[in-house]
Each structure stands twice: as C-alpha cells, then as structure tokens.
Amino acid sequence: LPVPLPLGRIEFIPIEWYDRIHSYSNATMASVRAATLPTIPALRAIANEVVLDVLMYLTPLTCETTIRCVLTQMNHLYEKFCVLNEQKVPCSILGHSLGSVIAWDILCGLEMGDVADANEVKEDEE
C-alpha cells in the first residue's frame, strides 16, 4: 500500500460508473445508433449520450444496476482508504449532473441504522 497522505488533507476519489453501465446496455445503445438519423451528428450524439442516460436511469433495471455499481465501488474504495489511513474517517459524497441524482438516491435509500453507524464514527473522533 502507498504511504498515507498527511492529516487534514482532502482527497477526491472518483467513482467510475458511466463506462461500466454502458457495457450492460450495449444492445440498447446499438439500437439507438441504428435508429439515429445522420443529420446534425453533434446534436444527435448529445441526445443519444446524455438524454438517453437520464431516460435509461429512470427504468428500474438500469437504476438498480447503476446504484449497485456505484455502491460497490464506494464501499471498496472507502475500505481501502480506511486501511491506508489506519482509521475510519468521515467522508462526503459529491456528484455532478446524473451523478448527483445517483448520490441522492443512494443517500435516500440508507436505513437509519446506516446513519447511526456513520454518527458513531463521528462521535468516536471527538
């Protein structure tokens, strides 16, 4: 393991979900590309890539797959971070665009016991 960073330093650990989710929906994306008109290619690409992601996220299967993908990575990376720093530390979750919706859905899905566990970590430090 690498040497831990100095105390008090902020570290951003990205969660990559976009490519992993798109590998699950290759058939869907192939169908969309086949049905896409060749006119205004840049605008069509934005519509296919961005708007379709939002619409797909609203489907139960894609939503569940995305949340599981993100949660699995978050838990794995947090465990590695805690091992590296030899302690459990509080963390913040940031998201941009659809990532912020995913983060909101994850936080809204937490059970009260999960929140209590997070508060215990905070109280142990004080």
Side-chain angles (χ1 to χ4, degrees):
L1 292 173
V3 177
L5 297 171
L7 293 177
R9 181 178 171 136
I10 296 173
E11 185 171 350
F12 291 92
I13 304 172
I15 304 293
E16 176 57 48
W17 60 269
Y18 183 85
D19 290 334
R20 293 175 188 226
I21 298 305
H22 279 268
S23 67
Y24 293 117
S25 61
N26 283 337
T28 304
M29 290 306 290
S31 297
V32 168
R33 285 188 200 102
T36 300
L37 298 173
T39 58
I40 319 171
L43 184 58
R44 300 281 183 184
I46 290 170
N48 287 355
E49 301 280 331
V50 177
V51 175
L52 184 65
D53 281 344
V54 173
L55 293 175
M56 290 294 295
Y57 184 74
L58 295 174
T59 65
L61 179 62
T62 303
C63 181
E64 182 179 336
T65 302
T66 304
I67 287 175
R68 282 189 187 187
C69 174
V70 172
L71 270 176
T72 300
Q73 287 185 72
M74 287 174 66
N75 288 331
H76 173 72
L77 291 171
Y78 181 72
E79 286 173 14
K80 284 177 66 174
F81 182 82
C82 290
V83 167
L84 178 66
N85 289 282
E86 299 175 347
Q87 62 180 334
K88 286 192 173 192
V89 294
C91 67
S92 298
I93 300 172
L94 303 172
H96 175 262
S97 192
L98 183 55
S100 63
V101 174
I102 295 167
W104 176 261
D105 287 347
I106 288 170
L107 292 173
C108 287
L110 287 175
E111 304 264 335
M112 287 309 291
D114 297 331
V115 174
D117 291 343
N119 287 335
E120 285 176 16
V121 170
K122 192 179 217 180
E123 289 170 4
D124 289 342
E125 292 177 352
E126 294 175 357

